[in-house]
Amino acid sequence: MCQERFPDSTVNYVVADLLAIPSQWHQAFDFVFECRNIQALPLNVRYWVISSVTSFVAPGGTLLLITRVRDTEVEPSGPPWPLSDSELAQFENVGLQQVEKLVFLESELDVKQVRIEYQRHNSLTDLNSTAKT
């Protein structure tokens, strides 16, 4: 649809399955934007999807996440199914570091959301120097 809508675009539009990403995408992108896709997926696939999305981020790269969140680990009704604290922690458990977190309310629905910037360290040396500061 993007190619039809923007026929003169130089962007290479690609469709892929988040649970079967091309191997050449592993840590290949300096910037990854995840906006409300994970919250639309059932809880039983979240671990794999979060791992997949974070695997795109290159060393030194950034992941920007915008999603609804919930204050409990209890399974919510949905969709959407807001992310829990343990699901948000998974982004760091698989190698990213939180740089900035902004919590806000979607005004019309009074729904709690977050905008989180994560970064992947360049190397093990970066991890060691961050741990010392």
Side-chain angles (χ1 to χ4, degrees):
M1 288 179 50
C2 289
Q3 288 172 330
E4 290 174 14
R5 186 170 175 201
F6 304 103
D8 298 327
S9 173
T10 59
V11 173
N12 180 22
Y13 297 101
V14 178
V15 176
D17 181 340
L18 273 175
L19 299 176
I21 61 167
S23 60
Q24 65 267 26
W25 289 10
H26 181 72
Q27 295 190 3
F29 299 95
D30 293 328
F31 181 75
V32 176
F33 182 51
E34 174 14 61
C35 185
R36 300 185 180 99
N37 290 299
I38 297 170
Q39 72 181 27
L41 299 172
L43 276 59
N44 65 343
V45 299
R46 296 269 178 93
Y47 175 82
W48 294 283
V49 171
I50 291 170
S51 296
S52 182
V53 167
T54 58
S55 76
F56 300 157
V57 183
T62 298
L63 168 69
L64 181 60
L65 170 71
I66 298 175
T67 190
R68 292 178 175 198
V69 291
R70 64 185 193 272
D71 293 324
T72 177
E73 294 299 321
V74 175
E75 184 172 333
S77 60
W81 297 280
L83 277 68
S84 68
D85 286 342
S86 67
E87 289 169 325
L88 292 176
Q90 186 183 345
F91 288 89
E92 294 185 67
N93 294 342
V94 295
L96 301 182
Q97 178 182 8
Q98 183 176 299
V99 174
E100 181 180 43
K101 180 177 182 179
L102 172 65
V103 179
F104 62 98
L105 291 178
E106 186 177 305
S107 59
E108 295 147 14
L109 302 175
D110 203 32
V111 174
K112 187 176 172 184
Q113 299 189 62
V114 293
R115 176 196 177 278
I116 305 175
E117 179 184 342
Y118 294 98
Q119 188 170 41
R120 181 177 304 282
H121 289 284
N122 281 317
S123 65
L124 188 55
T125 306
D126 284 354
L127 281 173
N128 290 335
S129 65
T130 301
K132 293 176 185 175
T133 57

